[in-house]
Amino acid sequence: MVASFPKCGTTWLKALAFSTLYRDRFARGQNPLLTSNPHQLVPFLELNVYWNNPFPDLENMCVYKPRLFATHVPYASLPTSIMLRDQSQEPPLSLDEAFDKFYRGIYLAGPFFEHVLGYWKASQENPNKILFLKYEDLKQDISCQLKRLAMFLGFPFTEDEEKQGVVEEITNICSFEELKELGVNKKGLSSVGVPVPHKDFFRKGKVGDWRNHLTPSMVERLEKLMHEKFDNSGLTFKLSSET
């Protein structure tokens, strides 16, 4: 199960998990990611599987086994009142409006900090069942983190696979730049509750790009809130005072 907060590397992690878990199911150079968007290969439970059918056929829904699904649902679960807004009916929010809603925890997947802390605390209590990954760590050393992921999934890379460059092959095909340039990710739609153009899942993929968009006041408010929420949790993230 790939669990994440929206816009925090979900598409990338889906691609990495799919390519790692099923790497022996297709020939090298024929990864289904070349012709299918990651969200088509790894469906969301709440946005795809159960959206129109309360009793889906989970056993036969995935081509490969073990089955791989995704979710944006917080560890503690969302109230039933949380729903996606129909983006076709409402104009997009301004940055100020979006920031204010995010700051106050008004978001389709619930409050960001509670979402992250829920999985963080659960991973500390059950490290064999929950692997907590940071986007920044993936960007810094993707090969190391991919090996951690493979080990956690129960399909560690063999010595022969590493010698044959399988790790590098997966990191390359799943890289942000490679995925963004694939034809399948430049056109078409994925239904995640509402239709979303594939290209919208790829922005810049750069750590720290928030500096080009958030005002100093926003950063100050966000940093203060982060310290309040993460204090004494053992979980840290870099923001304005660190590079």
Side-chain angles (χ1 to χ4, degrees):
M1 182 71 67
V2 175
S4 65
F5 195 79
K7 307 305 294 181
C8 289
T10 307
T11 308
W12 190 20
L13 187 55
K14 280 188 174 186
L16 290 170
F18 179 90
S19 299
T20 302
L21 189 59
Y22 305 132
R23 64 184 185 275
D24 62 342
R25 314 298 174 84
F26 43 81
R28 295 183 65 176
Q30 297 183 16
N31 193 316
L33 284 170
L34 296 173
T35 55
S36 298
N37 181 270
H39 296 289
Q40 296 172 314
L41 297 173
V42 186
F44 284 108
L45 284 177
E46 68 274 21
L47 302 179
N48 302 121
V49 179
Y50 288 96
W51 186 261
N52 293 313
N53 183 4
F55 304 104
D57 182 7
L58 294 176
E59 184 62 32
N60 298 308
M61 183 158 290
C62 296
V63 175
Y64 304 115
K65 300 295 189 296
R67 294 166 296 175
L68 184 61
F69 294 104
T71 184
H72 283 324
V73 174
Y75 189 75
S77 183
L78 288 174
T80 56
S81 60
I82 299 293
M83 296 292 287
L84 281 173
R85 67 191 184 99
D86 187 345
Q87 296 176 334
S88 66
Q89 302 298 320
E90 298 184 31
L93 298 175
S94 67
L95 179 59
D96 286 342
E97 292 174 312
F99 179 86
D100 183 66
K101 288 182 177 293
F102 177 85
Y103 185 86
R104 292 186 291 126
I106 303 174
Y107 204 80
L108 65 91
F112 171 79
F113 298 98
E114 282 72 11
H115 191 290
V116 173
L117 280 173
Y119 283 105
W120 168 254
K121 292 177 180 178
S123 71
Q124 301 301 294
E125 296 170 358
N126 297 288
N128 294 327
K129 292 186 176 181
I130 301 174
L131 176 66
F132 192 94
L133 296 173
K134 294 182 183 179
Y135 185 86
E136 293 82 357
D137 292 342
L138 285 166
K139 292 289 288 187
Q140 184 175 7
D141 191 344
I142 180 60
S143 294
C144 177
Q145 298 300 321
L146 183 60
K147 292 177 185 179
R148 284 185 64 207
L149 176 61
M151 183 71 72
F152 175 78
L153 292 173
F155 293 88
F157 292 103
T158 65
E159 186 175 339
D160 284 343
E161 284 182 316
E162 293 199 37
K163 289 180 179 179
Q164 294 168 10
V166 174
V167 176
E168 288 76 12
E169 182 176 319
I170 291 177
T171 59
N172 288 336
I173 196 172
C174 294
S175 70
F176 179 87
E177 293 76 16
E178 182 71 19
L179 289 174
K180 186 174 183 178
E181 292 304 314
L182 289 174
V184 67
N185 294 326
K186 287 185 173 183
K187 58 185 178 181
L189 300 171
S190 277
S191 178
V192 286
V194 294
V196 178
H198 288 163
K199 63 182 179 62
D200 286 359
F201 293 114
F202 302 89
R203 202 174 73 86
K204 292 184 179 179
K206 302 292 185 182
V207 172
D209 186 57
W210 54 266
R211 294 184 179 88
N212 299 316
H213 304 277
L214 301 185
T215 66
S217 175
M218 289 178 177
V219 175
E220 183 178 355
R221 290 176 63 196
L222 193 57
E223 190 168 48
K224 181 179 179 181
L225 185 61
M226 285 178 60
H227 287 308
E228 291 176 356
K229 296 291 187 178
F230 292 158
D231 190 35
N232 298 320
S233 70
L235 179 60
T236 59
F237 288 97
K238 295 179 180 179
L239 200 58
S240 65
S241 60
E242 303 173 78
T243 58

